[in-house]
Amino acid sequence: MRRAFLAITGLAASTTALVVLKGSPGTTQVAQDLPAAQPVNPTPQGADPSAAPPGEPAGAAPKPSVSAGAPSSPRPSRSSTARPSGTRTTAKAPTAPRTTTRAPQPTTRRVTGPGVDNEYGYVQVQIVVSGNRIVEAISLSLPSGGESDIHSGDVRDRYNGTGGEVVQKQSANLNTVSGATETSNSYKQSLRGAIEQAF
C-alpha cells in the first residue's frame, strides 16, 4: 500500500514536471508576440489640452519650462515705463492768418493848385480826389468887383462842384467860358497844377 502511494506520487510529480517543461517555450513565445509597450498619453482622450494640471486653478496658463543654463529675460519694471507725474502740456497747431477779402476803401484827399494872377485878379483851384478819381472841384479864389463878379460866377458854375465839367472830364481840358477868357485860362492853369500833384 505504501509502495502504491509512492508510485502514484512519483507519477504525479513527473507529469507535473513534464507539463512545466513543455509549457515554458510556449509561454516565452507568447511573451515575444505581445506588442511593445506604448507610451502613456498624459492627456486622457476627450480631455481639454489647455486644462490646468492637477493642483492648479482652472484657466491658469501653463508655466513655461525653464531649461537649465538659459538666461531668463528680466521683466521691465513699471517704474521705467510709468509716465512722469505733473501737468500735461498740449501743443496747439499754428493758426493761419486771417485774410480779408474786402477791397481797401479809397482815401479821400484835397489837393490845392498854384495861385495864378491875371489882369482881373487872383485865381486858385482845389480838387478833392478819391483813389485815382477827381470827385469835386472848388475855386478858392476868383476875380471880384464890377463885371468880374459876373464872369467869375459863370466860371464857378461851369467848372466847380461834384457835377461840374472838371469831374466830368477828369482833366484840365475844359471849355472856355464865354466872356471870361482870362479867368477861364487862369482856372485851367491852377487846376492843371493840382492834378499834377495828385497823380
Side-chain angles (χ1 to χ4, degrees):
M1 185 83 174
R2 186 175 180 181
R3 287 182 181 179
F5 177 76
L6 287 175
I8 293 171
T9 303
L11 182 62
S14 63
T15 305
T16 303
L18 183 62
V19 169
V20 170
L21 289 176
K22 289 244 180 189
S24 295
T27 305
T28 305
Q29 185 67 28
V30 170
Q32 289 177 356
D33 293 338
L34 284 175
Q38 298 293 328
V40 180
N41 187 4
T43 305
Q45 186 175 4
D48 186 3
S50 63
E56 290 195 16
K63 294 182 179 178
S65 61
V66 179
S67 61
S72 60
S73 59
R75 293 184 180 177
S77 61
R78 290 189 179 180
S79 61
S80 63
T81 58
R83 292 184 179 176
S85 60
T87 58
R88 185 180 298 175
T89 58
T90 55
K92 292 183 178 180
T95 56
R98 293 182 180 179
T99 56
T100 56
T101 56
R102 183 185 300 176
Q105 296 295 328
T107 56
T108 302
R109 62 190 188 280
R110 293 176 180 268
V111 182
T112 303
V116 179
D117 280 317
N118 62 36
E119 60 178 314
Y120 298 104
Y122 182 79
V123 178
Q124 190 174 25
V125 178
Q126 183 183 77
I127 57 175
V128 179
V129 179
S130 179
N132 59 353
R133 183 175 176 79
I134 301 170
V135 295
E136 186 177 5
I138 304 164
S139 55
L140 297 179
S141 179
L142 291 173
S144 60
E147 290 186 5
S148 295
D149 289 338
I150 299 172
H151 299 305
S152 295
D154 294 339
V155 170
R156 186 182 301 112
D157 293 342
R158 173 77 67 84
Y159 299 150
N160 283 357
T162 56
E165 195 170 325
V166 174
V167 174
Q168 292 173 8
K169 293 194 174 183
Q170 294 291 308
S171 70
N173 297 325
L174 307 177
N175 296 325
T176 302
V177 176
S178 178
T181 303
E182 291 294 327
T183 303
S184 296
N185 290 337
S186 298
Y187 189 104
K188 289 187 273 186
Q189 187 176 347
S190 179
L191 174 62
R192 189 174 291 110
I195 293 174
E196 288 175 358
Q197 293 180 52
F199 305 105

